[in-house]
Amino acid sequence: MGILEKIAEIEREISRTQKNKATEYHLGLLKAKLAKYRAQLLEPSKSSGAKGEGFDVMKSGDARVALIGFPSVGKSTFLSLMTSTESEAASYEFTTLTCIPGVIEYKGANIQLLDLPGIIEGAAQGKGRGRQVIAVARTADVVIMMLDNVCTVCTIALLNCPKPNIYFKPKKGGGLSYNSTVPLTHCSEKLVQLILHEYKIFNAEVLFREDSTPDEFIDVIVGNRVYMPCLYVYNKVDQISIEEVDRLAHRANSVVISCGMKLNLDFLLEQLWEYLALICLYTKKRGERPDFSDPIIMRRGASVEHVCHRIHRTLASQFKYALVWGTSTKYSPQRVGLTHIMEHEDVIQIVKK
């Protein structure tokens, strides 16, 4: 029996098993097996076949965005509109067969946009080059899931999900050390032990800091899950009623656009900037005006030390203090140290020893 057949059999058993106190251990064990088989399915094939030619794109720019969606929802048109890259667009399905990169220039940042082939049902099982598409998407900072007005949302990764607050550390001996800081309603010590045994783990330290489900605990054990933000972009809204547009626009993490009529693309860029959590910083030399022509692009939460490393790797060791103008200070300029957290459009002047 192949892996796909085993997965289908486990999914059937889970669907026909009633959820109650008597079956929670059995269901937890089935979910652990299911996660293990799915992980095996997404592992790269060891056979000497094609190695996913056209999917290995070097990471460049300040951030990477993966453009994913069903065939013929307008991904290639979107890439051509937002970047200087021309991606073949046609009315038939599977126009794009490889990963096509482009660069969005916005607020001084270079955002790498990857147009990936259309996904089909069963992509998570490797159908339609699904393995390569998912592998590239995992390297992105944000996923844009492009849909048209008739598509339903599909999930190929843990999108817009917070990482479970569970401490897990395998040990060489001593058995299972199980504890929690909150009352648990989904997991018990026996269930945790059964799931760990399925992964051949008999000695570990487990601490639940929130009321997590067995699925979330399995994700922590597997350790290869990627939690990333996703923006659901509904294209071709010029073809539907205003009531339907309003309904889609009010969905969580959603933006409505029309590539054909170039509608709402500026708002999409603003939302993308927020999801990427990027900030612009400007440098200033002593006695001179700030240089607003060449901003430094950093992640939200970056400190003065991060800025020093971005300018030059030895600057932090020569650092004496910095003067900062902007919203991160109580007054301008404010003298700060390496740990000061910068905010969007701050101006910084670094003084060396």
PDB file of all heavy atoms in Angstrom, residues 36 49 78 85 98 103 179 271 298:
ATOM      1  N   LYS A  36       2.684  12.255   9.868  1.00  0.00           N
ATOM      2  CA  LYS A  36       3.948  11.597   9.511  1.00  0.00           C
ATOM      3  C   LYS A  36       3.959  11.194   8.043  1.00  0.00           C
ATOM      4  O   LYS A  36       4.943  11.419   7.329  1.00  0.00           O
ATOM      5  CB  LYS A  36       4.151  10.359  10.401  1.00  0.00           C
ATOM      6  CG  LYS A  36       5.587   9.867  10.454  1.00  0.00           C
ATOM      7  CD  LYS A  36       5.844   8.981  11.663  1.00  0.00           C
ATOM      8  CE  LYS A  36       5.084   7.678  11.557  1.00  0.00           C
ATOM      9  NZ  LYS A  36       5.487   6.729  12.619  1.00  0.00           N
ATOM     10  N   GLY A  49      15.011  11.667 -11.350  1.00  0.00           N
ATOM     11  CA  GLY A  49      14.157  12.338 -12.325  1.00  0.00           C
ATOM     12  C   GLY A  49      14.518  13.801 -12.427  1.00  0.00           C
ATOM     13  O   GLY A  49      15.569  14.246 -12.008  1.00  0.00           O
ATOM     14  N   PHE A  78      -1.142  39.922 -13.118  1.00  0.00           N
ATOM     15  CA  PHE A  78      -0.789  40.683 -11.912  1.00  0.00           C
ATOM     16  C   PHE A  78       0.718  40.940 -11.850  1.00  0.00           C
ATOM     17  O   PHE A  78       1.153  42.058 -11.563  1.00  0.00           O
ATOM     18  CB  PHE A  78      -1.253  39.905 -10.677  1.00  0.00           C
ATOM     19  CG  PHE A  78      -0.916  40.557  -9.370  1.00  0.00           C
ATOM     20  CD1 PHE A  78      -1.644  41.641  -8.906  1.00  0.00           C
ATOM     21  CD2 PHE A  78       0.130  40.091  -8.590  1.00  0.00           C
ATOM     22  CE1 PHE A  78      -1.333  42.256  -7.701  1.00  0.00           C
ATOM     23  CE2 PHE A  78       0.453  40.691  -7.381  1.00  0.00           C
ATOM     24  CZ  PHE A  78      -0.290  41.775  -6.934  1.00  0.00           C
ATOM     25  N   THR A  85       8.526  42.730 -15.227  1.00  0.00           N
ATOM     26  CA  THR A  85       8.665  41.404 -15.835  1.00  0.00           C
ATOM     27  C   THR A  85       7.422  41.076 -16.644  1.00  0.00           C
ATOM     28  O   THR A  85       6.297  41.280 -16.183  1.00  0.00           O
ATOM     29  CB  THR A  85       8.864  40.323 -14.755  1.00  0.00           C
ATOM     30  OG1 THR A  85       9.976  40.689 -13.937  1.00  0.00           O
ATOM     31  CG2 THR A  85       9.116  38.957 -15.371  1.00  0.00           C
ATOM     32  N   THR A  98       6.748  27.337 -14.888  1.00  0.00           N
ATOM     33  CA  THR A  98       7.892  27.421 -13.983  1.00  0.00           C
ATOM     34  C   THR A  98       7.707  28.629 -13.066  1.00  0.00           C
ATOM     35  O   THR A  98       6.711  29.334 -13.149  1.00  0.00           O
ATOM     36  CB  THR A  98       9.217  27.585 -14.758  1.00  0.00           C
ATOM     37  OG1 THR A  98       9.146  28.784 -15.540  1.00  0.00           O
ATOM     38  CG2 THR A  98       9.483  26.400 -15.663  1.00  0.00           C
ATOM     39  N   VAL A 103      10.214  42.054  -9.621  1.00  0.00           N
ATOM     40  CA  VAL A 103      10.524  42.938  -8.490  1.00  0.00           C
ATOM     41  C   VAL A 103       9.525  44.083  -8.427  1.00  0.00           C
ATOM     42  O   VAL A 103       9.344  44.815  -9.410  1.00  0.00           O
ATOM     43  CB  VAL A 103      11.965  43.493  -8.582  1.00  0.00           C
ATOM     44  CG1 VAL A 103      12.235  44.456  -7.429  1.00  0.00           C
ATOM     45  CG2 VAL A 103      12.988  42.366  -8.574  1.00  0.00           C
ATOM     46  N   ASN A 179       4.035  19.237  31.714  1.00  0.00           N
ATOM     47  CA  ASN A 179       3.498  20.288  32.574  1.00  0.00           C
ATOM     48  C   ASN A 179       2.719  21.290  31.729  1.00  0.00           C
ATOM     49  O   ASN A 179       2.850  21.318  30.509  1.00  0.00           O
ATOM     50  CB  ASN A 179       4.620  21.006  33.322  1.00  0.00           C
ATOM     51  CG  ASN A 179       4.181  21.417  34.718  1.00  0.00           C
ATOM     52  OD1 ASN A 179       3.017  21.735  34.942  1.00  0.00           O
ATOM     53  ND2 ASN A 179       5.120  21.404  35.667  1.00  0.00           N
ATOM     54  N   GLN A 271      -1.426  47.107   1.795  1.00  0.00           N
ATOM     55  CA  GLN A 271      -1.667  45.947   2.647  1.00  0.00           C
ATOM     56  C   GLN A 271      -0.468  45.003   2.652  1.00  0.00           C
ATOM     57  O   GLN A 271      -0.087  44.465   3.692  1.00  0.00           O
ATOM     58  CB  GLN A 271      -2.918  45.190   2.172  1.00  0.00           C
ATOM     59  CG  GLN A 271      -4.219  45.901   2.460  1.00  0.00           C
ATOM     60  CD  GLN A 271      -4.482  46.007   3.956  1.00  0.00           C
ATOM     61  OE1 GLN A 271      -4.263  47.039   4.567  1.00  0.00           O
ATOM     62  NE2 GLN A 271      -4.917  44.930   4.557  1.00  0.00           N
ATOM     63  N   MET A 298      14.191  47.905   6.701  1.00  0.00           N
ATOM     64  CA  MET A 298      14.359  46.967   7.816  1.00  0.00           C
ATOM     65  C   MET A 298      13.007  46.353   8.180  1.00  0.00           C
ATOM     66  O   MET A 298      11.961  46.796   7.708  1.00  0.00           O
ATOM     67  CB  MET A 298      14.934  47.686   9.044  1.00  0.00           C
ATOM     68  CG  MET A 298      16.255  48.414   8.826  1.00  0.00           C
ATOM     69  SD  MET A 298      17.662  47.310   8.577  1.00  0.00           S
ATOM     70  CE  MET A 298      17.816  46.550  10.184  1.00  0.00           C
TER      71      MET A 298
END
